[in-house]
Amino acid sequence: MTYPLGWQSWSPPTPVWPYLPRRDYCPVPQLTHPPAPPHIPKPPITYWCSWYALGKNIRVDNLLHQAQLIRQHQLPIDYFLIDDGWHDKPWLLDLIRSLHSLGFRVGLWYAPYTRHAHLPIYPTLDHLINDYQLDLLKLDFLYKLYFAPHLADDSLPHQTLVEIFTYLQ
């Protein structure tokens, strides 16, 4: 069986070498935790993501312009996702309020184990969710924990992910 999306946190540790680059492999040969039980997926969400249109070059005016175009053309978009580039922007809270007033649920991209890996992530998560009134966090690069060269197995990364998802829940 092949997995065209590459190794994901839910992928079994099966080799797929002819189809994917080596970095997409599960980094440990045996998983120490059981696979998740089967579940019924929720309906897909509809969203606009700033990354695909603007990359890191985000500004209030171009983001609001995109949001107004979506509403003007009555596109069925529920979520407005602000991807990388929002860090340290003084206008972020006002933008989120404006997007909420246009009827969007608002999300932010956040990669807790890359950009600020040396900082505790829970206060940051509380700040993002509560102070910015976010409806969605796009957590990215969570697999990075599994590639720490000093780890012999996946028990520490697995426990870290269980903790972050339990905390968010």
Side-chain angles (χ1 to χ4, degrees), residues 40-98:
I40 299 171
K42 295 179 180 180
I45 63 171
T46 56
Y47 68 97
W48 180 88
C49 178
S50 66
W51 182 258
Y52 303 109
L54 306 168
K56 288 185 180 182
N57 301 318
I58 60 171
R59 300 184 318 269
V60 173
D61 60 335
N62 61 14
L63 290 170
L64 281 176
H65 178 69
Q66 293 295 317
Q68 290 161 350
L69 284 173
I70 290 167
R71 289 301 181 234
Q72 177 186 344
H73 294 285
Q74 300 177 353
L75 299 175
I77 303 293
D78 298 319
Y79 287 87
F80 196 98
L81 178 63
I82 304 165
D83 210 286
D84 199 5
W86 60 264
H87 302 280
D88 304 321
K89 302 291 190 209
W91 43 258
L92 185 61
L93 184 55
D94 289 335
L95 172 67
I96 291 171
R97 288 181 182 141
S98 297

